[in-house]
């Protein structure tokens, strides 16, 4: 935690009986910055709920939400010491701990607190754009999400899995979710990828636009994704009820992690993990995807090892 030294709170001032004691003198100036995502995306809402819980229930700390470009941006900010806790896609975090792709300058010392939920990949197209499958994106105007976002990371992999070159075969834009939805509604874009929880506010708003939109299934790309990136992605369905669709949409899913750096004090990491389950309903009130935080599944963080403090929490059963 390069930004500032955050000393672990003694166990006596950790979580207790649903209410935190008064913080010891001088500790309230300690802030935890949460790297989230686009302001109209799920990461931002999830991070806001988590920040509220931290500030309310973890004595001595105040949490601040930082809107960012998303997953990879959060991890790059963490490496610079600007972020203490990051929300990130599991595939992006795997590249970070392995020192690949965006993180080719060296492995990052990341540790996970939990799998918060699984994100669903949306491929939304204008109904009048003549796009019936991912291969039909050739020559089309496509937003792949903000630079260094988890959406961009996965979108580029999906485009390649469809047999297209994202730099030559499509007219690609790297736009925020709000700019993307304006472009689709206004006719300056034909399609967009978005990966996130359900529902995503920006996508909900887009479905209310005058221009008709269509969701395309992505499950047909899973075999190629599995070949290129084994044991990284899953499958799921965007339920019709999420956006008032005529039917469920089969798609690609990816785990979404809460991560910190390896040098976070063990007690602090333990308490941050405990908050996710002790105050689950407060988190769900901020966004329903927090309800997906099953204690057993949350500990299965894949390539990214659990922080020892988080491991201690899960070991208690």
């Amino acid at each position: 935690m390069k930004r500032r030294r955050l000393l672990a709170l003694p166990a006596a001032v950790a979580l207790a009986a649903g209410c935190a004691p008064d913080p010891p003198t001088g500790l309230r100036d300690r802030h935890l910055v949460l790297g989230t995502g686009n302001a109209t995306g799920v990461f931002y809402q999830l991070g806001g709920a988590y920040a509220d819980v931290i500030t309310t229930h973890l004595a001595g700390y105040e949490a601040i939400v930082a809107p960012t470009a998303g997953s990879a941006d959060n991890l790059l900010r963490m490496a610079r010491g600007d972020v203490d806790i990051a929300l990130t896609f599991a595939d992006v975090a795997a590249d970070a701990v392995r020192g690949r792709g965006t993180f080719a300058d060296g492995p990052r010392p990341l540790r996970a607190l939990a799998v918060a939920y699984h994100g669903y990949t949306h491929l939304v197209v204008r109904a009048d754009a003549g796009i019936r499958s991912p291969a039909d994106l050739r020559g089309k105007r496509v937003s792949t999400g903000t630079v260094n976002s988890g959406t961009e990371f996965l979108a580029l992999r999906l485009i390649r899995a469809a047999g297209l070159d994202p730099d030559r075969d499509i007219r690609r834009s790297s736009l925020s979710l709000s700019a993307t939805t304006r472009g689709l509604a206004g006719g300056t874009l034909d399609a967009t990828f978005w990966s996130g929880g359900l529902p995503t506010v920006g996508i909900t708003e887009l479905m209310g636009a005058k221009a008709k939109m269509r969701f395309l299934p992505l499950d047909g790309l899973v075999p190629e994704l599995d070949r290129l990136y084994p044991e990284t992605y899953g499958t799921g369905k965007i339920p019709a009820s999420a956006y008032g669709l005529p039917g469920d949409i089969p798609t690609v899913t990816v785990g979404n992690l809460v991560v910190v750096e390896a040098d976070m004090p063990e007690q602090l990491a333990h308490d941050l993990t405990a908050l996710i389950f002790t105050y689950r309903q407060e988190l769900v009130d901020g966004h329903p995807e927090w309800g997906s935080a099953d204690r057993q599944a949350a500990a299965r963080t894949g390539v990214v090892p659990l922080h020892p403090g988080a491991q201690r929490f899960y070991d208690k059963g």
Side-chain angles (χ1 to χ4, degrees), residues 9-21 53 57-59 267 270-276 278-279 313:
L9 289 177
V13 295
L15 303 173
C19 61
V53 165
H57 299 292
L58 188 59
Q267 186 63 44
H270 171 277
D271 292 347
L272 288 170
T273 306
L275 288 172
I276 294 171
T278 305
Y279 299 102
F313 170 78

Side-chain angles (χ1 to χ4, degrees), residues 123 131 133-142 144 154-172 191 193 216 218 221 224 228-229:
L123 175 51
I131 303 170
S133 73
D136 293 335
L137 293 174
R138 186 182 299 274
K140 301 298 184 180
R141 302 164 298 177
V142 183
T144 53
L154 181 49
L156 299 183
R157 288 184 170 185
L158 288 166
I159 290 167
R160 293 187 185 103
L164 303 176
D165 185 321
D167 295 318
R168 293 186 300 180
D169 293 333
I170 66 172
R171 295 159 64 186
R172 181 160 70 96
F193 288 88
L216 297 189
L218 290 168
L221 300 180
E224 182 64 6
L228 295 170
Y229 315 103

Side-chain angles (χ1 to χ4, degrees), residues 243-262:
Y243 301 108
L245 304 174
D248 296 344
I249 306 296
T251 193
V252 174
T253 63
V254 62
N256 291 269
L257 308 181
V258 183
V259 301
V260 298
E261 287 204 312

Side-chain angles (χ1 to χ4, degrees), residues 48 54-55 63 69 71 97 128 131 157 163 176 179 202 211 247 282 291-292 304:
I54 292 169
T55 300
S71 294
V97 298
D128 59 6
I131 303 170
R157 288 184 170 185
S176 68
E282 291 182 33
S292 304
V304 184

Side-chain angles (χ1 to χ4, degrees), residues 8-70:
L9 289 177
V13 295
L15 303 173
C19 61
D22 292 335
T25 304
L27 287 182
R28 182 46 79 178
D29 62 349
R30 293 191 296 180
H31 297 85
L32 293 169
V33 178
L34 275 73
T36 57
N38 282 275
T40 55
V42 172
F43 270 12
Y44 188 75
Q45 293 175 282
L46 288 166
Y50 193 27
D52 287 346
V53 165
I54 292 169
T55 300
T56 303
H57 299 292
L58 188 59
Y61 290 96
E62 181 177 356
I64 301 169
V65 176
T68 69

Side-chain angles (χ1 to χ4, degrees), residues 15-308:
L15 303 173
C19 61
D22 292 335
T25 304
L27 287 182
R28 182 46 79 178
D29 62 349
R30 293 191 296 180
H31 297 85
L32 293 169
V33 178
L34 275 73
T36 57
N38 282 275
T40 55
V42 172
F43 270 12
Y44 188 75
Q45 293 175 282
L46 288 166
Y50 193 27
D52 287 346
V53 165
I54 292 169
T55 300
T56 303
H57 299 292
L58 188 59
Y61 290 96
E62 181 177 356
I64 301 169
V65 176
T68 69
S71 294
D73 187 33
N74 289 339
L75 301 186
L76 293 169
R77 289 174 185 242
M78 181 174 282
R80 296 195 301 265
D82 297 331
V83 162
D84 302 299
I85 305 167
L87 296 173
T88 183
F89 288 8
D91 53 355
V92 178
D95 267 17
V97 298
R98 289 167 169 161
R100 297 178 180 174
T102 302
F103 310 95
D105 57 335
R108 298 292 194 268
L110 298 182
R111 296 295 182 268
L113 301 184
V115 179
Y117 69 102
H118 282 77
Y120 293 76
T121 306
H122 306 48
L123 175 51
V124 186
V125 305
R126 285 181 61 99
D128 59 6
I131 303 170
R132 296 286 178 177
S133 73
D136 293 335
L137 293 174
R138 186 182 299 274
K140 301 298 184 180
R141 302 164 298 177
V142 183
S143 173
T144 53
T146 313
V147 173
N148 285 332
S149 66
T151 289
E152 180 189 61
F153 194 89
L154 181 49
L156 299 183
R157 288 184 170 185
L158 288 166
I159 290 167
R160 293 187 185 103
L164 303 176
D165 185 321
D167 295 318
R168 293 186 300 180
D169 293 333
I170 66 172
R171 295 159 64 186
R172 181 160 70 96
S173 298
S174 300
L175 301 173
S176 68
L177 181 57
S178 57
T180 293
T181 55
R182 287 196 300 271
L184 280 167
T188 59
L189 288 172
D190 300 309
T192 188
F193 288 88
W194 170 257
S195 294
L198 302 174
T200 294
V201 172
I203 301 297
T204 300
E205 293 172 350
L206 176 63
M207 298 307 289
K210 289 183 179 179
K212 188 176 179 182
M213 304 295 159
R214 177 184 295 128
F215 279 66
L216 297 189
L218 290 168
D219 56 320
L221 300 180
V222 170
E224 182 64 6
L225 277 180
D226 284 345
R227 185 184 72 81
L228 295 170
Y229 315 103
E231 301 180 17
T232 302
Y233 299 104
T235 57
K237 293 182 179 181
I238 299 173
S241 59
Y243 301 108
L245 304 174
D248 296 344
I249 306 296
T251 193
V252 174
T253 63
V254 62
N256 291 269
L257 308 181
V258 183
V259 301
V260 298
E261 287 204 312
D263 65 351
M264 174 175 277
E266 182 176 329
Q267 186 63 44
L268 177 57
H270 171 277
D271 292 347
L272 288 170
T273 306
L275 288 172
I276 294 171
F277 300 93
T278 305
Y279 299 102
R280 180 170 173 163
Q281 188 55 54
E282 291 182 33
L283 293 171
V284 170
D285 290 343
H287 195 281
E289 283 291 8
W290 275 118
S292 304
D294 170 79
R295 182 171 177 144
Q296 193 169 36
R300 295 197 286 267
T301 55
V303 173
V304 184
L306 283 169
H307 191 287

